[in-house]
Amino acid sequence: MSLQLGQTAPDFEQDSTEGRIRFHEWLGASWGVLFSHPKDFTPVCTTELGEVARLKPEWDRRGVKPIALSVDPLDSHAAWAGDIAETQGHRVNYPILADADRKVATLYGMIHPESDPTLTVRAVYVVDPNRKIRLVLTYPPSAGRNFAEILRTIDSLQLTDNEKVATPVNWRQGDPVIIVPSLSDEDARARFPQGWETQKPYLRVVRLPS
């Protein structure tokens, strides 16, 4: 059965480029992004892992720890890291799980036999500090991921965890948001004294203070 939003992310222990990792312990009080790539020394994956390294200040600002996975062994990861640094201009600065026994890939449903029974798909799991799965994305092996979208979604999750709002289509930090329908106008006035625009009774748009 596939993992679903709100479920506790399965814990695991596996070797990585930064030593043996116990996932829940490694996560600590941070958010996590666990993402799999089909195979080392492949072109799309090389660009992706370089991009995740480049985005380190963005992950840090949000309290997020990225962690990658493939079914290749540690020595392969170590050799490939040099290619990533050379071609992408950024050295890998997060752990890459060496899931040669496919333990984690199986636990998280990262191998789709109808796609390829030997490789992991491009799966993404965003996990919050309570170890709950908050986002699941699956890309085909041929399509590189949009990590700007993953960051945007984490921004939305972190905002809406603390405010009685939801984020509309194509939302970015600083854009207006939507007051959740479960909040009455009376309660909304106390929470949003700056006021809002009522487009429909169920569609109330508010701009939060910066």
Side-chain angles (χ1 to χ4, degrees):
M1 190 169 111
S2 62
L3 296 173
Q4 298 181 350
L5 301 184
Q7 290 183 328
T8 298
D11 199 11
F12 58 81
E13 186 175 346
Q14 188 61 289
D15 289 329
S16 84
T17 53
E18 297 186 3
R20 192 80 174 170
I21 281 181
R22 295 180 178 90
F23 183 53
H24 284 189
E25 179 183 305
W26 172 84
L27 199 61
S30 300
W31 290 68
V33 175
L34 171 60
F35 66 103
S36 55
H37 56 273
K39 190 174 178 60
D40 293 356
F41 299 103
T42 51
V44 175
C45 301
T46 300
T47 65
E48 288 186 321
L49 270 71
E51 176 67 0
V52 173
R54 185 187 71 82
L55 289 170
K56 186 179 190 313
E58 299 299 326
W59 305 122
D60 290 348
R61 185 163 66 85
R62 295 163 173 83
V64 177
K65 292 181 175 181
I67 182 168
L69 172 148
S70 88
V71 296
D72 289 310
L74 274 179
D75 57 351
S76 174
H77 291 348
W80 184 34
D83 289 357
I84 295 169
E86 178 186 347
T87 62
Q88 306 306 304
H90 295 277
R91 187 169 297 280
V92 174
N93 47 29
Y94 51 88
I96 307 174
L97 295 168
D99 196 39
D101 60 5
R102 294 167 169 74
K103 179 176 67 179
V104 180
T106 301
L107 193 61
Y108 277 78
M110 293 170 167
I111 296 176
H112 294 192
E114 296 298 323
S115 174
D116 189 318
T118 64
L119 303 176
T120 50
V121 294
R122 297 185 194 281
V124 181
Y125 292 91
V126 172
V127 181
D128 71 18
N130 295 315
R131 318 296 189 256
K132 299 299 183 183
I133 295 172
R134 304 297 299 278
L135 174 70
V136 179
L137 292 171
T138 306
Y139 291 71
S142 59
R145 283 164 280 217
N146 184 338
F147 283 96
E149 168 61 12
I150 294 167
L151 283 168
R152 188 193 76 91
T153 307
I154 291 170
D155 286 340
S156 174
L157 289 168
Q158 293 182 342
L159 173 67
T160 59
D161 277 357
N162 296 311
E163 298 279 358
K164 295 288 187 180
V165 297
T167 55
V169 63
N170 297 331
W171 173 87
R172 292 186 179 277
Q173 275 189 325
D175 289 350
V177 294
I178 296 169
I179 300 172
V180 295
S182 60
L183 195 68
S184 69
D185 281 350
E186 180 180 358
D187 289 339
R189 276 189 286 273
R191 186 174 283 269
F192 306 111
Q194 69 271 35
W196 62 84
E197 177 192 358
T198 300
Q199 297 181 1
K200 290 289 182 182
Y202 57 85
L203 182 54
R204 296 167 294 173
V205 178
V206 64
R207 186 174 289 277
L208 299 178
S210 56

